[in-house]
């Protein structure tokens, strides 16, 4: 399973990419707004750092297909690696069909069930993004959703990739990988969490102590 970083923080993107653990970035207007910067400026800067898929979302207030298509074309023109993130609605599916037919990659977001994922894939989506954390908030199984989508896509040889979104902890990452997700998009704080284990730190401290004891002797 591959990893995308879900952020618009340039410093975190640079660090995660330098570690060699991410191959793409997902953003949305809310994330970018938190950085207090211009949307297109941030997207362009991210493309100069990460050589991989960069999701840029149409504005939340754009709810008609015509508007999504117009914005999608404008965002896609920024760089060849841009993926247009679109909400999974009837208008979103219409926009996905048009943009995909023009060779523009799309990421259908806010998916909460298998029928939505299937419709998005048939509309030409490059990626579908089921939100596992949010669906678990209403006492449903996010992992079962990932598994169901992965199983059906495999049976019908659907090439649309599955991005696990709303990933909140290391266990989510483990279970998503087992369930068949192609990608998990995660916040930088989760990368830090995944790296930590008390035995690793204890081992480092022991190696350092053994080395210093040997040198002193």
């Amino acid at each position: 399973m591959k990893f995308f970083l879900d952020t618009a923080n340039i410093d975190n993107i640079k660090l995660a990419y330098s570690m060699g653990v991410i191959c793409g970035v997902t953003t949305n207007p809310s994330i970018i707004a938190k950085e207090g910067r211009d949307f297109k400026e941030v997207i362009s800067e991210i493309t100069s750092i990460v050589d991989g898929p960069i999701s840029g979302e149409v504005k939340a207030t754009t709810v008609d297909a015509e508007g999504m298509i117009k914005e999608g074309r404008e965002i896609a023109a920024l760089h060849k690696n841009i993926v247009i993130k679109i909400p999974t609605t009837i208008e979103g599916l219409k926009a996905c069909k048009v943009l995909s037919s023009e060779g523009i990659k799309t990421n259908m977001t806010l998916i909460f069930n298998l029928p939505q994922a299937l419709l998005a894939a048939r509309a030409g989506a490059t990626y579908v993004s089921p939100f596992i954390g949010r669906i678990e908030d209403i006492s449903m199984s996010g992992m079962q959703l990932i598994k169901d989508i992965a199983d059906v896509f495999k049976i019908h040889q659907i090439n649309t990739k599955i991005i696990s979104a709303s990933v909140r902890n290391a266990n989510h990452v483990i279970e998503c990988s087992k369930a068949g997700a192609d990608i998990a998009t995660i916040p930088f704080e989760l990368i830090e969490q995944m790296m930590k284990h008390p035995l690793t730190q204890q081992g480092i401290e022991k190696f350092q102590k053994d080395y210093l004891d040997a040198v002193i002797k």
Side-chain angles (χ1 to χ4, degrees), residues 48-136:
S48 72
I49 300 166
V50 178
D51 184 17
I54 312 297
S55 286
E57 189 168 354
V58 299
K59 292 195 292 289
T61 52
T62 304
V63 296
D64 62 297
E66 185 177 348
M68 292 180 194
I69 293 166
K70 181 177 182 293
E71 287 184 27
R73 287 170 177 159
E74 292 173 353
I75 300 169
L78 295 174
H79 196 275
K80 62 182 178 63
N81 287 341
I82 294 294
V83 178
I84 306 304
K85 191 190 284 189
I86 304 169
T88 306
T89 62
I90 290 175
E91 293 298 297
L93 292 175
K94 289 159 64 176
C96 177
K97 176 187 175 183
V98 172
L99 293 173
S100 297
S101 71
E102 295 176 0
I104 295 173
K105 294 178 180 178
T106 53
N107 175 4
M108 297 300 287
T109 189
L110 292 171
I111 284 178
F112 293 97
N113 62 32
L114 177 56
Q116 288 178 321
L118 274 171
L119 291 172
R122 290 311 183 195
T126 313
Y127 304 95
V128 291
S129 291
F131 277 46
I132 61 172
R134 292 195 195 180
I135 201 165
E136 290 184 353

Side-chain angles (χ1 to χ4, degrees), residues 22-200:
I22 64 165
C23 59
V25 174
T26 56
T27 70
N28 61 51
S30 298
I31 289 176
I32 291 178
K34 289 177 182 178
E35 298 298 315
R37 298 180 58 192
D38 176 72
F39 176 84
K40 291 184 179 179
E41 179 183 284
V42 172
I43 293 293
S44 295
E45 188 168 355
I46 293 171
T47 62
S48 72
I49 300 166
V50 178
D51 184 17
I54 312 297
S55 286
E57 189 168 354
V58 299
K59 292 195 292 289
T61 52
T62 304
V63 296
D64 62 297
E66 185 177 348
M68 292 180 194
I69 293 166
K70 181 177 182 293
E71 287 184 27
R73 287 170 177 159
E74 292 173 353
I75 300 169
L78 295 174
H79 196 275
K80 62 182 178 63
N81 287 341
I82 294 294
V83 178
I84 306 304
K85 191 190 284 189
I86 304 169
T88 306
T89 62
I90 290 175
E91 293 298 297
L93 292 175
K94 289 159 64 176
C96 177
K97 176 187 175 183
V98 172
L99 293 173
S100 297
S101 71
E102 295 176 0
I104 295 173
K105 294 178 180 178
T106 53
N107 175 4
M108 297 300 287
T109 189
L110 292 171
I111 284 178
F112 293 97
N113 62 32
L114 177 56
Q116 288 178 321
L118 274 171
L119 291 172
R122 290 311 183 195
T126 313
Y127 304 95
V128 291
S129 291
F131 277 46
I132 61 172
R134 292 195 195 180
I135 201 165
E136 290 184 353
D137 287 343
I138 58 170
S139 301
M140 296 177 67
S141 174
M143 299 312 154
Q144 187 61 50
L145 175 58
I146 296 294
K147 186 178 186 305
D148 289 345
I149 296 172
D151 288 346
V152 171
F153 280 15
K154 183 177 180 180
I155 289 169
H156 296 284
Q157 299 181 333
I158 295 172
N159 294 323
T160 301
K161 301 297 184 184
I162 303 167
I163 302 177
S164 293
S166 187
V167 177
R168 296 176 177 170
N169 53 60
N171 188 60
H172 273 171
V173 174
I174 294 167
E175 295 304 316
C176 283
S177 65
K178 291 179 180 178
D182 298 290
I183 302 149
T185 185
I186 59 178
F188 184 78
E189 294 75 16
L190 184 48
I191 292 178
E192 294 179 309
Q193 181 189 126
M194 291 166 64
M195 280 294 298
K196 293 178 180 178
H197 194 285
L199 293 180
T200 301

